[in-house]
Amino acid sequence: MAPYRIRQYEDSDYEVVRTMFGHGIKEHAPAGYIHMLKCLQTQLLFLGLFLAVLAASGSLLVSLLALLLTLIGGWFCIRSLWTDYVHQSLCSDLLDIRRTYLEAADSCLWVAEVEGAVVGAHVSVRREHRGRGIGRALCRTVVRFTQECGYSAVVLSTSMVQYSALQHGLPEGLGEVPIPPRQLPAVLQARPRPGARLLGPSSAGRYNGRLVGPY
């Protein structure tokens, strides 16, 4: 395959970066839905609903229909969470990418390019170009930048259903230390300069953090 290169974001990348971000986030909705179904609390809730409807109606068919409608409703709820997050991001930090990531202090944004086409940004890589180390190269670029800015560590957050990111992790030699979700807010609050820099969104319970460093 053609080699890739990491370069700084340019204004001409605006639409492709926003589109790629949206697609990259939304593709995790099915995994999020499956994760929800595997939770014991969810299974007990569905079982309770099924038994309650069965007791009230006395009809197995009605009970199964109620369960099916609940499953369909759950899918739309999960999908809306990812869709709403994309919409929120596109209307906030990604609305004016230059002002947010290039003009702000100690901020920057890089993209991965293959044969003149942007295939990665925001540590998100197009599906057909994954497995080539592009995501890790973007991470290395961010870490190098934070070192130059005087930060001693980076906090990388990934959702619990981004299995590929959790499995492959970060480039070797960066001193990666997993952070349980409950401890993530405390890590983000205690970041003197030089301290920890956040790469990506964070939310207790939804994200697993990784403290990279000290360098």
Side-chain angles (χ1 to χ4, degrees):
M1 300 183 68
Y4 63 84
R5 73 183 183 100
I6 307 299
R7 63 168 174 80
Q8 187 171 302
Y9 166 87
E10 299 175 355
D11 291 336
S12 58
D13 304 323
Y14 182 79
E15 291 297 338
V16 66
V17 167
R18 285 166 53 91
T19 300
M20 185 165 50
F21 170 80
H23 289 168
I25 294 296
K26 292 178 182 178
E27 74 176 25
H28 297 297
Y33 181 63
I34 294 175
H35 177 78
M36 180 196 72
L37 295 179
K38 290 181 178 179
C39 293
L40 178 61
Q41 297 91 330
T42 302
Q43 297 172 1
L44 292 176
L45 176 63
F46 285 159
L47 177 61
L49 172 66
F50 175 80
L51 294 176
V53 175
L54 181 62
S57 66
S59 172
L60 180 61
L61 180 60
V62 172
S63 302
L64 291 174
L65 180 60
L67 184 59
L68 176 61
L69 292 176
T70 304
L71 288 170
I72 295 174
W75 159 247
F76 282 106
C77 288
I78 291 295
R79 189 179 68 170
S80 68
L81 292 176
W82 297 91
T83 302
D84 290 346
Y85 172 71
V86 170
H87 177 73
Q88 179 184 0
S89 299
L90 294 179
C91 293
S92 55
D93 59 306
L94 291 177
L95 181 61
D96 191 340
I97 297 178
R98 173 164 292 279
R99 183 177 64 179
T100 303
Y101 291 102
L102 297 181
E103 296 180 357
D106 293 351
S107 297
C108 195
L109 178 64
W110 298 268
V111 300
E113 186 180 67
V114 174
E115 296 183 332
V118 175
V119 301
H122 245 45
V123 202
S124 178
V125 181
R126 290 188 182 276
R127 184 183 298 274
E128 61 270 23
H129 291 277
R130 293 174 187 171
R132 302 177 55 191
I134 295 178
R136 294 190 177 191
L138 287 167
C139 285
R140 290 191 189 95
T141 303
V142 173
V143 170
R144 190 181 309 114
F145 176 78
T146 57
Q147 289 176 317
E148 295 173 353
C149 290
Y151 289 88
S152 61
V154 175
V155 175
L156 171 65
S157 62
T158 55
S159 70
M160 297 175 65
V161 298
Q162 289 178 271
Y163 301 119
S164 178
L166 295 174
Q167 177 182 3
H168 297 294
L170 295 173
E172 297 180 358
L174 293 183
E176 177 182 347
V177 180
I179 305 172
R182 293 183 179 179
Q183 297 181 18
L184 184 56
V187 172
L188 297 180
Q189 293 172 8
R191 48 174 203 160
R193 198 183 195 298
R197 184 172 181 82
L198 177 65
L199 174 61
S202 63
S203 175
R206 284 192 59 195
Y207 292 88
N208 290 321
R210 288 181 175 140
L211 183 63
V212 184
Y215 303 132

